[in-house]
Structure formats: C-alpha cells, structure tokens
Amino acid sequence: MATTPEIRTSVLIVGGGLTGLTAAALLACRGIRCLVVERHAGTSIQYKFTGISPRSMEIFRGIGLEAEIRAERTGDQQGGGIARAKNLADPDIHWSDLGWPDAHPFSPTQPATCDQHVLEPILRHHAEHHGADIRFNRQLEGFEEDARGVHARIRHLASGDEEIVHADYAIAADGANGGMRERLGIDRSGPGPLQHWISIIFDTDLPPLLKGRRFTSCFITDLNGTVTPRAGGRWLLALQYYPQKGERPEAFDAARCRDLAVRAAGRPDIKAEPVDIRAWDVAASIADRFRQGRTFLIGDAAHLMPPTGAFGGNTGIHDAHNLAWKLAMVLKGEAKPSLLDSYDAERRPIVQATQAQALARLQSWFKDPSRRLPPAVPLAPDYDVVFGQRFDAGAFLPAGSASDGPFEAHATLAGRPGTRAPHLWLERSGQRLSSLDLFGGNFVLLASKAIWHQAAEEARRRLGLPLVCEIIGSGGDITDVDGRWPAAYGLDPDGAVLVRPDGFVAWRASQGETEPARALSAALRHLGLGLVGNRERVP
Ligand SMILES: Cc1cc2nc3c(=O)[nH]c(=O)nc-3n(C[C@H](O)[C@H](O)[C@H](O)COP(=O)(O)OP(=O)(O)OC[C@H]3O[C@@H](n4cnc5c(N)ncnc54)[C@H](O)[C@@H]3O)c2cc1C
C-alpha cells in the first residue's frame, strides 16, 4: 500500500503571493528552511500591488533586491503624472501629482513602481536561490497543531497526490479568502466590503502618452474607472460595479470588456484584447488575533484595507519583516519562544492605525461609499505612516513617556525605542553607506566610545548571542558624514543604542551607563535573548 510522502521543514508558508514570497525570501536569507505551498500554477498575473513604499524598498534593499526591483520597474516614478479625463482621446486633461514624494532626506532609498506580477517572480527567485522550497499547484487541505509542531495535508492540484508537511511554525499568507484564519478559529472585525471593482487586463496598441506626456494612470470619468498603461501594451482597466443596481461580475464577459476598453480609449480603431478579467472588493477588516499557537497571520490574511494610500501590500511586507527575524532567532535557539508574542503586540495596533489612514483617504476621495464608516481620523502624512510607526508594546524597552499615538513625524525620528532607527549617511573604508545598512543581520549596538565594544563582547560571551558593535566616530572605523551622530539617535557621546535586525530600536542608554556590560546584558535578557538551549526541532 502506498504511503503518503512526508516533508519536514522549519516554517510552512501557506500562500505564495506577495507576502508569502516576501516571508520566504526573508527567512531563507537568514538560513531558515521554509516551504511555500501555493495553489496557483505560478506567480500572480494581476497587477494589484503597484506602489512599493520607500520603507518596503528599505526592506528589499536589506536582502539585496533594491537594484533588481528598480531595473524591472513597471512604472516611471518620476516621469508619469496622474491624469483625469472623459476618456483617453479627450483634449481636456487634468493632471495631478499624487504619489510618494522624494524620500531621500529620510531614507537611503526611494519608492518604486513595480507591479505584483513583476515583483513576485523576483521574490520567488531570490527565495529559491537562498534555499526556500516553493511549490505551486499545491493546496492546503488539512491543518492541525500539537505540542511538537504544525502538520498540514497538501494536495497536488494536477495529480491529486497528497503530501504531509511537518513544521515548527506556520505562516498563513493565504490572502483574504484562503481559509487559514477560519481554520484557526480567528474572527475578524471591521466594516467589510465597501466597493466592488472589476480589473480587466487587456492587450492594446494604444501609445502610453496623453497629448505627448507619459501618464501613470488616468481616471476615466465616462466610465468611473482607471486606466493604467504598461510597457509591452498589456494595460489595466479597473472599474466599479454596483450589485445594489443588479450588476453582476459574470456580466463582464470578453465582448463587454473589449467594448469598455474601446470606450476608455475614446476611439474605435484600437486593438483591445482582454487577457484576464477579475472581480475584487475594496474592503476593510482586521483579524482579532494575528497568532494562534504556532501559526502567524500576515498580509491580507490578517488585514484588508482599501488601496487608497497604497498601504495594503506594503503593510503585508512589514508584517513579514517583523516576523521573520523573530522566527529565525527562536528556531536557532537564540531567543525564547516568548519573543514571538511581540508580533501581534507590535503589528496589530500599527495595522489598525494604517487601515484608519487608508479609510480616511477613501472618505476624502470618494466620500463614504458604504455610509457605514466611522468618522475619518485626521490624515497623517504618508511617510509618517510608513516610516514613523511607533510600537506601543513588544520587543523593546520603552524609554520616557508612554506612547502618544501610533505614528511619529518621519522627519524627526530620533532613536526612541519602539521606532525605526533614523537614516544617516556614513562612510567606511571610503564607501558611503546608510546607518540602515548596518542592520538586518544580528542585533547591532551603535556607540561612539570603545567601552561599549567591550560591553558587547562581554554580553556576547555571557549570552551566547551573535551581537555586533559598531563604533561611529574617532574611536571606530565609521565616519559620520553629515555630523548628525549621535544627537540624531537621541544620545550624548557616552551613550549607546541597541537596534534589532528589523532596524527598530530595542534599547537606548542616552547618557551612558556606569556598568555598560551589565546594563546591556540586562536589556538583552529582558528581551528574551541569549542562548536558551531549547532549540526547536521539527518532530
Ligand atoms: C487592484 C488592487 C490594487 C492594489 N494596489 C496596491 C498598491 O498600490 N499598494 C499596496 O500596498 N497594496 C495594493 N493592493 C493590495 C495588495 O495587492 C494586497 O494587499 C496583496 O496582494 C496581499 O498579498 P498577500 O500575499 O497577503 O495575499 P494574496 O496576494 O492574495 O496571496 C495569497 C495567496 O494564497 C494562495 N492561497 C490561498 N489559499 C490557499 C490554500 N489553501 N493553499 C495554497 N495556497 C492558497 C492564493 O492562491 C494566493 O496566491 C492592491 C490590491 C488590489 C486588488
């Protein structure tokens, strides 16, 4: 009798979309074995996520993908404007400059426009290059957890064959309708669906120019929809439909979609061949918990928000980034499993506040499409939302007063524990680098005085923790190019700051310590770090 093949891995990732592939790339780069199961035959062919925030680009820069994403970009961040017209042939075009502003004062990188169907293969190849096992055409059919790990039944959709996967942990990256959240018994709250849209991808011979000017997208008032041009002539037309008026997504067949594309163009003589027609809802909801036992929800499985603000996919990338280093440290036995509690504690309040910003933008651009939304919160600048996130509680030692809101002003981030470490231009061996380039691997202690080097050495020995100490200034090999260190991190010259692998500040000794080694070790222990001798093993 044939037995069902069994596979053992450290992290099972259910869903190989944007966030599942990001999590796989981040874990694989940390040397963690992971297996992705994705029911589609390949990566997404839909554009969907387009605007990569500069914070997400910092995350991709950290795993060496910045140049490739920029080389493969699908839109022109600087060149194209956002247009509004009756149709593409309308001589009366209104231009606006919506989009992410210049990020250079706050970040070593810039936003990028790279559609999901282009970004996903980049993430996939990077993850596979670093050892991730990514399997398409596989659907999760059964899932259970016991004290030793998670156990999943996976079906190969082409052959019908089954496999059993055993893992220490699982990540539910299965999107809005994947079903993992329900399997885990986690409810979700929020207003739910707010608008109904159809995305039509069509091949065309239209030029990507309006009166000679390149455009990123054009809002077509004749159709109450948006046209997005893309290189190669494969364009997107996105339209709202109204079920309350009896409209149904099935009615958008190829002939009707071709006709709609022709109407959007405003001229009958164009090529318009529909390639993919898909209905989707603008919705808002958040899972009541982002963790159940050994399973963590990320991306759309954890939260849905309207695309207004382009925060949705970026929030999923941040989820994966917040979780990956914690899982890696626990799996390597460098941190207690309690470190994983901080994922929900840190991410859920930020997700709630980010969703409120997306809804406030929806309300200001469309009014309230559902008439069910709570009053809009005051709009925060886009870069406060993506750079200025401030944790309420989690894997850091709070300093000073309690948090006064989820976002700090991005231009004045100052090294407060629970916020992203500020970007400074530095130099080492003649090479320019950002302070953010120092983070990403292990915990990093930044200081000006060599005494902190000895403290880090002692903490490393005591706790068996891979900890890096970087001395900036005359006592070390890093030069502060702009003269902003150490004040930009809220330190005087005797102080030091401990930064997590995700670039968030964990602990700060603003004025130095009389016993630096003891203070640093105490902080690390408080965070649950240090060899714990209980390396998790797959059963
Ligand atoms: C039109 C549109 C425009 C958008 N624009 C932006 C933007 O500019 N910026 C932004 O930040 N966000 C944007 N978003 C949001 C963004 O696309 C989503 O937040 C993002 O795709 C979520 O990624 P995900 O990996 O969590 O989920 P998904 O991309 O939905 O991936 C989930 C995957 O899980 C798989 N799966 C589900 N169940 C199973 C199972 N049982 N077994 C195996 N596999 C399974 C699915 O096949 C799917 O591939 C946009 C969304 C839309 C619809």
Side-chain angles (χ1 to χ4, degrees), residues 41-167:
T43 48
S44 172
I45 65 158
Q46 277 278 342
Y47 294 172
K48 297 201 287 186
F49 171 83
T50 290
I52 310 181
S53 78
R55 177 61 190 144
S56 297
M57 282 301 281
E58 286 174 356
I59 292 169
F60 292 138
R61 175 187 170 97
I63 53 171
L65 284 178
E66 185 187 13
E68 191 178 349
I69 292 172
R70 225 171 274 296
E72 297 293 322
R73 71 186 184 277
T74 43
D76 205 338
Q77 192 61 40
Q78 266 77 41
I82 310 271
R84 185 183 177 93
K86 274 160 63 69
N87 56 52
L88 299 180
D90 182 1
D92 190 16
I93 300 163
H94 300 267
W95 293 96
S96 66
D97 286 320
L98 275 178
W100 305 103
D102 179 13
H104 260 143
F106 327 108
S107 174
T109 186
Q110 288 282 7
T113 301
C114 187
D115 303 334
Q116 200 156 328
H117 69 295
V118 176
L119 179 59
E120 285 187 7
I122 296 175
L123 293 168
R124 172 194 176 176
H125 291 132
H126 198 70
E128 286 178 333
H129 176 74
H130 287 275
D133 183 351
I134 300 178
R135 303 187 183 197
F136 291 95
N137 256 327
R138 304 295 205 293
Q139 178 157 295
L140 179 130
E141 300 269 321
F143 184 85
E144 57 190 54
E145 173 181 330
D146 60 25
R148 297 181 309 154
V150 298
H151 315 280
R153 192 160 44 80
I154 309 297
R155 190 159 61 87
H156 191 294
L157 292 177
S159 67
D161 292 346
E162 292 201 335
E163 294 155 340
I164 303 292
V165 178
H166 304 284

Side-chain angles (χ1 to χ4, degrees), residues 15 18-19 38-39 48-51 116 140 280 300 310 313-314:
L18 174 70
T19 57
E38 165 55 52
R39 66 182 168 202
K48 297 201 287 186
F49 171 83
T50 290
Q116 200 156 328
L140 179 130
W280 58 281
D300 282 12
N314 286 299

Side-chain angles (χ1 to χ4, degrees), residues 399-417:
S401 57
S403 165
D404 41 11
F407 304 121
E408 203 153 292
H410 64 280
T412 52
L413 281 174
R416 178 157 141 178

